[in-house]
């Protein structure tokens, strides 16, 4: 029998009384009734889609605990409507961020590793795929006269944001060097960065904010912080983007630092390109812990979201905005549970910022994930124990274990020793922000999970997002709410 050896305090003593839970239920009922009144809303002028990459339901639950559990909650959990979406690819039960981007942005299931094309195209194909291209909801918005843009904490050419504008048979073809390494002609198979700058949907995006300068610069050129580019074709796609906007006689700004962003007059900016890192943006927790990647030096996802809305809201016809919290996924891949939860908390703050800057009467906000991860929450921790810590019980091997653990990943190396079995964990180990949480199967990176992910919605026609449905239904419901695209 499991026995606790510690004295534990309640996080919220009010929970001991029945009236606490009855009042909570009354508040919930009042919110549901208010949501019913909103069903008569007009169509959505604006649509904002938030994508927590790899944000499984377990991740949301653990983040809620990290933020203090009751009464603190992850902001978007307050949204009136919640559903579940099915995340598989056409050819894989467990999806990646490429095929899912085609699903939740374009409404079509695709093959693993491909972006913006249907499943008739196999991965790594160099052939012309024009007839099999899948347009995203960003293009549907542009065709309707609305503005469109995206924000990401990854490279702007990474799989999820590429789903907004790109059509390619391999998610790794972010620059011409990678296309050539894949056995294709870079002048015939345009890389993702070139598609962003040269193809119509990318050209018309009013806001592009994220990382990835390396894919826009030649290897002989160094960016503002001294990192060399990856390109081999001599192109400087940043200068090309600025030149194209200049020829259109519009106000276009390129920024590479948080300081540069804060100094912009966004109310007089027509087009905004912000590339704030050579590669991905830093983890949010690292922004505050590290002197190299300080909160003062790097913009947060919340700040980028605010900037994007301020530019896009200048269009009286409305806009579509895609916001990705990408580092949630990357931390999970390394079994960095605390980093992942910290980025989820920042993601939730960005959602809150967007909701507070907009009206529920004319702006639909949808929050979801592309796929899950294999992190789980182990029983039976007390409420006052840190969700990222060690559980206050001993297992059958008379050793404590971590509340959060992974089915696979690099954490295996620190979990087992061949001759001694499982390694003894301590609270001190788990308190380290970069602690690699235990894993059962050794892999250099943890895998995605195949379970359904949650969908949260607020605003016009948010009720459509209830139930359990294919991930491909998400853009259809967003488009119908906004009166755009093939589902109008």
């Amino acid at each position: 029998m499991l026995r606790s050896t510690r004295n534990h305090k309640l996080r919220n003593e009010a929970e001991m009384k029945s009236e606490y839970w009855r009042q909570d239920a009354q508040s919930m009922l009042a919110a549901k009734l208010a949501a019913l009144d909103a069903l008569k809303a007009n169509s959505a002028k604006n649509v904002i889609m938030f994508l927590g990459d790899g944000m499984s339901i377990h991740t949301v639950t653990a983040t809620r605990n990290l933020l203090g559990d009751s009464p603190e909650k992850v902001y978007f959990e307050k949204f009136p409507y919640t559903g579940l979406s099915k995340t598989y690819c056409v050819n894989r039960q467990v999806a990646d961020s490429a095929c899912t981007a085609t699903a939740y942005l374009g409404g079509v299931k695709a093959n693993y590793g491909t972006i913006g094309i249907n499943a008739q195209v196999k991965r790594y194909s160099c052939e012309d795929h024009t007839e099999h291209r899948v347009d995203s909801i960003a293009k549907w918005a542009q065709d309707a006269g609305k503005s469109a843009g995206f924000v990401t904490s990854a490279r702007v050419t990474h799989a999820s944001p590429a789903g907004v504008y790109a059509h390619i048979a391999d998610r790794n073809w972010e620059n011409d060097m990678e296309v050539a390494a894949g056995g294709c002609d870079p002048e015939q198979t345009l890389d993702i960065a070139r598609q962003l700058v040269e193809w119509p949907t990318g050209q018309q995006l009013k806001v592009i904010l994220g990382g990835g300068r390396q894919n826009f610069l030649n290897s002989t050129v160094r960016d503002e912080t001294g990192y060399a580019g990856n390109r081999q074709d001599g192109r400087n796609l940043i200068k090309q983007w600025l030149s194209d906007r200049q020829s259109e006689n519009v106000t276009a700004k390129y920024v590479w630092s948080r300081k540069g962003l804060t100094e912009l007059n966004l109310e007089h900016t027509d087009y905004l390109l912000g590339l704030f890192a050579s590669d991905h943006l830093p983890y949010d927790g690292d922004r505050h812990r590290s002197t190299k990647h300080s909160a003062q030096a790097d913009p947060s996802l919340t700040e980028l979201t605010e900037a994007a809305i301020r530019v896009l809201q200048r269009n009286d016809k409305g806009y579509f905005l895609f916001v990705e919290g990408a580092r949630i996924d990357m931390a999970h891949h390394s079994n960095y549970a605390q980093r992942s939860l910290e980025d989820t908390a920042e993601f939730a703050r960005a959602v809150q910022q967007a909701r507070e800057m907009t009206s529920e009467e004319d702006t639909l906000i949808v929050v979801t994930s592309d796929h899950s991860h294999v992190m789980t929450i182990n029983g039976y921790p007390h409420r006052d124990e840190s969700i990222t810590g060690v559980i206050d019980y001993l297992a059958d091997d008379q050793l404590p274990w971590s509340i959060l653990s992974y089915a696979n990943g690099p954490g295996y190396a620190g979990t087992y020793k061949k001759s001694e079995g499982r390694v003894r964990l301590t609270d001190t180990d788990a308190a380290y922000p970069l602690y690699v949480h235990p894993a059962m199967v050794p892999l250099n990176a943890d895998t995605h999970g195949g379970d359904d992910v949650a969908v949260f919605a607020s605003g016009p026609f948010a009720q459509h997002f209830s139930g359990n449905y294919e991930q491909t239904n998400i853009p259809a419901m967003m488009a119908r709410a906004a009166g755009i695209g093939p589902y109008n």
Side-chain angles (χ1 to χ4, degrees), residues 290-481:
S290 171
T291 55
K292 180 179 179 181
H293 293 303
S294 67
Q296 290 71 38
D298 298 294
S300 67
L301 191 68
T302 299
E303 290 171 323
L304 295 179
T305 300
E306 177 183 358
I309 293 174
R310 287 173 62 189
V311 172
L312 294 173
Q313 68 186 6
R314 298 178 63 217
N315 187 339
D316 293 336
K317 293 184 178 180
Y319 58 84
F320 170 77
L321 172 62
F322 175 73
V323 181
E324 182 200 20
R327 300 291 259 164
I328 300 169
D329 169 80
M330 298 176 195
H332 275 321
H333 277 306
S334 298
N335 294 164
Y336 286 135
Q338 181 168 329
R339 269 178 163 173
S340 184
L341 305 189
E342 290 169 341
D343 266 74
T344 306
E346 172 58 24
F347 177 76
R349 288 189 286 270
V351 176
Q352 180 173 358
Q353 179 69 24
R355 185 72 286 173
E356 292 177 352
M357 290 181 69
T358 57
S359 169
E360 288 187 55
E361 295 183 0
D362 70 0
T363 302
L364 171 66
I365 297 182
V366 177
V367 180
T368 188
S369 177
D370 47 356
H371 53 73
S372 70
H373 266 272
V374 294
M375 184 194 78
T376 191
I377 305 172
N378 299 301
Y380 302 95
H382 288 274
R383 292 281 298 285
D384 66 339
E385 290 181 288
S386 170
I387 192 66
T388 59
V390 175
I391 201 165
D392 183 23
Y393 295 106
L394 297 180
D396 290 348
D397 60 1
Q398 299 304 302
L399 295 174
W401 74 93
S402 175
I403 296 174
L404 301 179
S405 64
Y406 291 82
N408 54 57
Y412 179 90
T415 304
Y416 300 98
K417 288 186 177 179
K418 291 182 179 179
S419 60
E420 302 174 19
R422 201 161 60 88
V423 174
R424 177 178 291 275
L425 303 177
T426 68
D427 288 327
T428 302
D429 295 330
Y432 179 52
L434 304 189
Y435 172 60
V436 179
H437 280 252
M440 186 175 70
V441 175
L443 289 174
N444 63 357
D446 101 312
T447 67
H448 297 162
D451 38 313
D452 297 350
V453 295
V455 184
F456 307 86
S458 167
F461 295 94
Q463 71 275 14
H464 288 179
F465 294 86
S466 299
N468 193 335
Y469 38 80
E470 296 287 356
Q471 195 169 45
T472 51
N473 295 163
I474 294 175
M477 292 186 285
M478 291 191 296
R480 184 59 181 265

Side-chain angles (χ1 to χ4, degrees), residues 142 165 195-197 199-205 208 241 245:
Q142 292 171 342
Y165 60 87
Q195 290 188 31
L196 177 56
V197 173
W199 284 10
T201 302
Q203 283 183 328
Q204 295 176 49
L205 293 172
I208 302 166
W241 183 88
R245 300 293 82 74

Side-chain angles (χ1 to χ4, degrees), residues 10-24:
L10 290 174
R11 283 189 171 183
N12 186 356
E13 292 186 3
E15 293 179 0
M16 298 178 67
K17 300 177 181 178
S18 300
E19 187 59 26
Y20 173 88
W21 301 106
R22 291 182 180 130
Q23 289 179 356
D24 180 75

Side-chain angles (χ1 to χ4, degrees), residues 8-83:
H8 294 273
K9 297 181 180 179
L10 290 174
R11 283 189 171 183
N12 186 356
E13 292 186 3
E15 293 179 0
M16 298 178 67
K17 300 177 181 178
S18 300
E19 187 59 26
Y20 173 88
W21 301 106
R22 291 182 180 130
Q23 289 179 356
D24 180 75
Q26 290 282 20
S27 299
M28 178 275 295
L29 289 171
K32 295 291 185 184
L33 290 171
L36 286 174
D37 291 337
L39 295 184
K40 55 190 177 184
N42 296 323
S43 62
K45 175 183 176 182
N46 314 307
V47 176
I48 306 176
M49 182 179 188
F50 280 88
L51 191 284
D53 199 309
M55 189 180 69
S56 62
I57 293 176
H58 283 149
T59 304
V60 176
T61 302
T63 302
R64 184 197 315 141
N65 279 270
L66 183 74
L67 296 178
D69 202 7
S70 181
E72 297 280 344
K73 294 182 178 180
V74 176
Y75 179 80
F76 52 79
E77 288 188 300
K78 301 177 182 178
F79 281 10
Y81 295 98
T82 306

